[in-house]
Amino acid sequence: MQDHPLLAAARQVLEQNWNGRFTKPAPSLYPHQWNWDAGFIALGNAHHNMDRAMAELRHLFRGQWSNGMLPQIVFGDDPQARYFPGPDFWQTEKAEHAPQGIQTSGISMPPVHGFVLWELYEIAEDKEAARAFLQEMYPKVIALHRYFYDYRDPEEEGLAYIRHPWEGGTDNSPIWDAALARMDTSQLDIPPYERKDLQNPKAAAHRPTQADYDRYVYLVDLFRKNAYDDARIYEQCPFLIQDPLFNGILCWSNEALIKIGDLLGEDISEPMQWHELTIWSMNDKLWDEERGLYNAYDLRQQELIPVYTSSGLMPLCGEVPTQEQAEAMLLTLESGHFGGKRKDIRLCPTYSLQAEDVDFKKYWRGPVWINLNWLLYRGLLRYDMDKVAERVKQDSLALLSEQGFYEYFDPRKEAEGEIGCGTDSFSWSAALCVEWLMR
Ligand code: DGY
């Protein structure tokens, strides 16, 4: 695969989006450093430039808060960068734990860093340097996980909640719809704001709606009014969700922390306890036997959110299900919901093909995303489902080579209009393409 024609093009995207300190997720729409993007980008770079992969993660963790929270955005200082909400809106200087002199947002993102570190170690030729890097990063990632277990799991179930759709990484997923709809914008005090994500006309049509943004902004305002105090936010926040994608990733990273800690001779009892409890609770609380996937849970309403999104399949990557449950998930993937048996569909749509409101051009409401495909691919391999894993990989590579390194893709082969959607030159699409081709 090393002479695959896509490889040089993918590396070029990563090179172009590198600004000397970190890699922007995309040239203009996302001009700062994003948390889980940085993890996927480091993984892609690790295959040909390990120093840069390490620099990427070091830069991200410079933004870590003293309570362990790793922010969703670490802001760069490019005066041309047009992004809302910027540091003046987040006002994280109000937070007791925010770092001095480094501007960040005030929420987190799915904790990919543990498994990314382990993958980096496996890829590295110079194991001594890689081990030193693990030594440096291990306490930071442990602190991040400890933050989730100490502050985002108040009932001590082992399930971390997110308090903003941006924390889940899947901004406008149908999973969040009901919780957001309960926030009546006519009754909410929403501070004035100006979006900056609508400048690219092609991307603008598919971005989250104004009503979505009003609620995103309301939540940020609530956090800053509470000086980012987790206990107060937990009491007041209308949006508190335990997401299977987020917690599935947490499991994979817990497992990686156990391996890293073991390698470094650390006491690994804490990550072992986390790992066991989260897997147990995901199966006890979020597993849906009838539908063959994991649900999210709304902590405010005290109810499951039974929508068919591909987030419900992602716990495969953290080896959360048993082989039997995984077989049921495979049936779900191959059912009419995700089109795994259809020749005219490219895996894996993010939302059921049969949902009335599926929208194949709208971010997380139907399109294929390369990062979720990569997580699904790795998950399927864990259960020896090599054939369908290979299909996920080949569908992804076909989209990337036919369309380019877009942010996301219409899953229908015969779709009208654009198949490559959102911004192009998207870093994680390129990075995970490299990872697939070099592995
Ligand atoms: C955005 O601004 O669209 C990002 O996805 C938030 O993380």
Side-chain angles (χ1 to χ4, degrees), residues 157-178:
E157 296 173 281
L159 298 174
Y161 70 72
I162 56 163
R163 60 185 186 210
H164 194 295
W166 290 338
E167 275 200 322
T170 55
D171 302 356
N172 64 351
S173 167
I175 301 176
W176 327 131
D177 285 359

Side-chain angles (χ1 to χ4, degrees), residues 359-399:
D359 185 334
F360 298 111
K361 310 254 188 248
K362 216 164 166 109
Y363 269 67
W364 301 93
R365 306 188 68 87
V368 175
W369 284 77
I370 298 300
N371 66 333
L372 294 197
N373 269 12
W374 184 83
L375 292 170
L376 180 61
Y377 165 82
R378 292 297 297 262
L380 291 164
L381 288 183
R382 298 190 79 148
Y383 293 89
D384 298 322
M385 297 170 176
D386 297 13
K387 213 168 140 215
V388 59
E390 188 59 22
R391 158 123 190 239
V392 172
K393 173 176 164 179
Q394 292 309 332
D395 281 359
S396 307
L397 293 177
L399 285 167

Side-chain angles (χ1 to χ4, degrees), residues 148-424:
F148 287 128
Y149 286 97
D150 285 354
Y151 294 95
R152 299 302 191 89
D153 179 25
E155 301 299 326
E156 299 187 7
E157 296 173 281
L159 298 174
Y161 70 72
I162 56 163
R163 60 185 186 210
H164 194 295
W166 290 338
E167 275 200 322
T170 55
D171 302 356
N172 64 351
S173 167
I175 301 176
W176 327 131
D177 285 359
L180 292 177
R182 273 191 291 272
M183 294 164 57
D184 177 358
T185 44
S186 68
Q187 304 298 315
L188 297 176
D189 189 9
I190 297 165
Y193 69 96
E194 189 198 339
R195 289 176 72 167
K196 301 206 173 140
D197 59 323
L198 303 175
Q199 287 162 357
N200 171 346
K202 192 179 158 218
H206 307 131
R207 292 283 303 166
T209 64
Q210 201 55 39
D212 290 332
Y213 256 79
D214 280 355
R215 292 168 175 121
Y216 300 161
V217 164
Y218 170 80
L219 290 170
V220 173
D221 192 42
L222 178 84
F223 305 155
R224 67 185 185 179
K225 278 183 180 146
N226 282 294
Y228 296 94
D229 181 294
D230 287 288
R232 275 159 59 192
I233 294 170
Y234 176 59
E235 276 166 27
Q236 296 175 29
C237 188
F239 185 99
L240 296 176
I241 292 179
Q242 293 164 324
D243 174 41
L245 167 63
F246 192 101
N247 283 285
I249 287 175
L250 183 63
C251 284
W252 192 7
S253 283
N254 277 335
E255 180 193 7
L257 285 176
I258 294 168
K259 288 199 271 192
I260 297 169
D262 200 31
L263 183 92
L264 298 176
E266 300 282 344
D267 174 2
I268 51 173
S269 49
E270 194 180 18
M272 278 174 79
Q273 278 171 16
W274 294 335
H275 193 44
E276 212 175 296
L277 184 61
T278 302
I279 290 195
W280 189 86
S281 285
M282 286 190 76
N283 285 318
D284 185 58
K285 187 173 179 182
L286 307 183
W287 171 245
D288 188 329
E289 182 72 34
E290 209 169 295
R291 299 186 319 131
L293 44 57
Y294 290 82
N295 292 311
Y297 188 87
D298 184 324
L299 279 177
R300 273 285 166 258
Q301 291 301 110
Q302 301 272 321
E303 65 188 21
L304 290 165
I305 308 175
V307 293
Y308 275 99
T309 66
S310 67
S311 296
L313 302 174
M314 297 305 149
L316 289 166
C317 78
E319 214 172 324
V320 179
T322 60
Q323 185 69 32
E324 203 184 344
Q325 287 169 302
E327 306 282 346
M329 292 165 86
L330 180 61
L331 291 180
T332 306
L333 177 61
E334 292 182 338
S335 75
H337 290 291
F338 296 103
K341 290 262 186 224
R342 281 173 61 174
K343 295 257 180 304
D344 59 333
I345 289 292
R346 284 199 177 104
L347 291 178
C348 175
T350 37
Y351 188 25
S352 169
L353 300 165
Q354 295 171 351
E356 269 174 27
D357 55 347
V358 63
D359 185 334
F360 298 111
K361 310 254 188 248
K362 216 164 166 109
Y363 269 67
W364 301 93
R365 306 188 68 87
V368 175
W369 284 77
I370 298 300
N371 66 333
L372 294 197
N373 269 12
W374 184 83
L375 292 170
L376 180 61
Y377 165 82
R378 292 297 297 262
L380 291 164
L381 288 183
R382 298 190 79 148
Y383 293 89
D384 298 322
M385 297 170 176
D386 297 13
K387 213 168 140 215
V388 59
E390 188 59 22
R391 158 123 190 239
V392 172
K393 173 176 164 179
Q394 292 309 332
D395 281 359
S396 307
L397 293 177
L399 285 167
L400 294 165
S401 63
E402 286 164 25
Q403 306 296 323
F405 298 98
Y406 275 92
E407 192 175 2
Y408 57 91
F409 303 87
D410 190 322
R412 299 165 303 170
K413 281 190 187 158
E414 307 301 330
E416 276 178 32
E418 309 285 351
I419 288 185
C421 299
T423 180
D424 63 358

